[in-house]
Amino acid sequence: MLTIKQVLQPKVVLSTALGLALSILFFAQNHAIAESNAVSVGIQTSNAPKAINSMAKIATVNIAQLMEKSPQTKSASEKLKADYAKREQELETEKRDLQAAKDDLTQKVAEHQITETELVQLQRDLRSRERLYVRTQEDFNNELNAARDLAVEKVQNQVFQAIEAVRAEQEIDIVFKESDYITASKRIDLTDKVLQFLEKQSSATANTSTH
C-alpha cells in the first residue's frame, strides 16, 4: 500500500510533514526564481556625450532552501497530516486485515477445515474486498496528490511575494535564483532575509488567528 510518505514520487502518496517538505524541495528545484542581497554593477551608456555609469543592484536567493525551511511549509505539512493521516491509517488497517483473511483461508484449506462451496464463497468475498480496497486507495492517492500540489503552489506564491517584498525594501534591481548563476558572494545572498520575512509573516498570521 502507498503511504503519505511516498507522495514525493509521481502518482505515489506522500507523507504529511516531512513528505510535503521533500515534495516542495523537489518542486522548487524545477520552478525556482531569483536571489537577493545587493551589489552594485556599473552599466555604461554608449550614446551619452560623456560616459555615464548607472549603478544596478543585484542579488541572489535560494528558492529551494526557502521552500524547505519556511514556516509556511511546516504549516502546510501539518495541515496535510491532519486532513489525511486518519484515512491513511484506515487503509493500512484494511490492508493488514485483507492479508490476515487470506492467510486464514490458506490455512483452512491446507487443514481441510472448509468445504469446496465455502472455499468458493470466501474467495469471492476476498476478491470483492480487494477491489474495493484498490479503488479506495486510488481515490485517496489522487485526492492527496491534488491537495499536495495546491499546498506547494500556495507556499511557492508566499515565497515569491516575500522575495519581492525584500527586493523592494532593499532597493534591489535584479534578483537571481540559484540555478541562474555559477557562483556568487555570500554578501549578495538575500535568502536569510527572505526567510526572516516569512517567519515574521507567519507569526503575524498566527497571532491574528488566535485573537
Side-chain angles (χ1 to χ4, degrees):
M1 164 188 160
L2 299 176
T3 67
I4 293 180
K5 295 181 180 179
Q6 295 171 303
V7 76
L8 175 60
Q9 304 172 2
K11 297 184 179 179
V12 178
V13 180
L14 171 63
S15 165
T16 45
L18 177 59
L20 181 66
L22 291 175
S23 162
I24 285 174
L25 176 58
F26 174 80
F27 185 90
Q29 288 172 338
N30 292 285
H31 296 83
I33 52 174
E35 288 212 7
S36 42
N37 249 10
V39 65
S40 296
V41 176
I43 302 176
Q44 190 174 50
T45 58
S46 58
N47 296 327
K50 296 182 179 180
I52 301 175
N53 290 330
S54 62
M55 307 304 291
K57 295 176 70 177
I58 67 172
T60 61
V61 70
N62 191 310
I63 303 296
Q65 184 177 337
L66 291 171
M67 295 288 283
E68 179 185 8
K69 295 184 177 181
S70 72
Q72 287 77 2
T73 293
K74 181 180 178 181
S75 296
S77 299
E78 290 173 349
K79 187 176 188 308
L80 278 181
K81 182 175 181 179
D83 290 346
Y84 293 96
K86 181 180 179 181
R87 288 169 59 190
E88 181 191 32
Q89 184 58 50
E90 289 172 349
L91 284 166
E92 185 63 35
T93 299
E94 176 62 11
K95 180 182 178 181
R96 290 196 300 266
D97 290 347
L98 274 170
Q99 187 58 52
K102 290 179 183 179
D103 294 341
D104 183 60
L105 180 58
T106 299
Q107 182 177 353
K108 287 180 178 179
V109 170
E111 297 175 356
H112 306 287
Q113 296 179 8
I114 58 175
T115 66
E116 186 68 24
T117 301
E118 290 173 330
L119 174 60
V120 171
Q121 182 60 50
L122 288 171
Q123 288 175 331
R124 183 181 296 116
D125 292 343
L126 278 174
R127 285 195 297 270
S128 179
R129 284 182 64 184
E130 284 183 316
R131 286 194 295 269
L132 177 59
Y133 170 79
V134 169
R135 288 197 301 270
T136 304
Q137 178 71 69
E138 289 176 350
D139 289 344
F140 175 77
N141 290 353
N142 291 335
E143 185 177 336
L144 180 58
N145 281 326
R148 182 280 313 270
D149 290 343
L150 286 175
V152 169
E153 182 179 1
K154 181 179 179 180
V155 173
Q156 183 192 41
N157 288 337
Q158 291 172 324
V159 167
F160 290 174
Q161 290 168 7
I163 292 172
E164 170 57 23
V166 173
R167 183 207 65 76
E169 180 183 284
Q170 300 290 317
E171 298 183 346
I172 295 168
D173 299 300
I174 305 172
V175 181
F176 294 97
K177 65 178 181 290
E178 64 270 26
S179 61
D180 285 343
Y181 62 91
I182 297 175
T183 185
S185 170
K186 181 65 178 175
R187 68 189 178 86
I188 67 167
D189 184 1
L190 280 188
T191 303
D192 289 343
K193 290 182 179 179
V194 175
L195 184 58
Q196 290 172 5
F197 182 94
L198 288 165
E199 289 169 347
K200 290 180 180 178
Q201 191 177 59
S202 178
S203 296
T205 300
N207 291 335
T208 300
S209 62
T210 57
H211 290 86

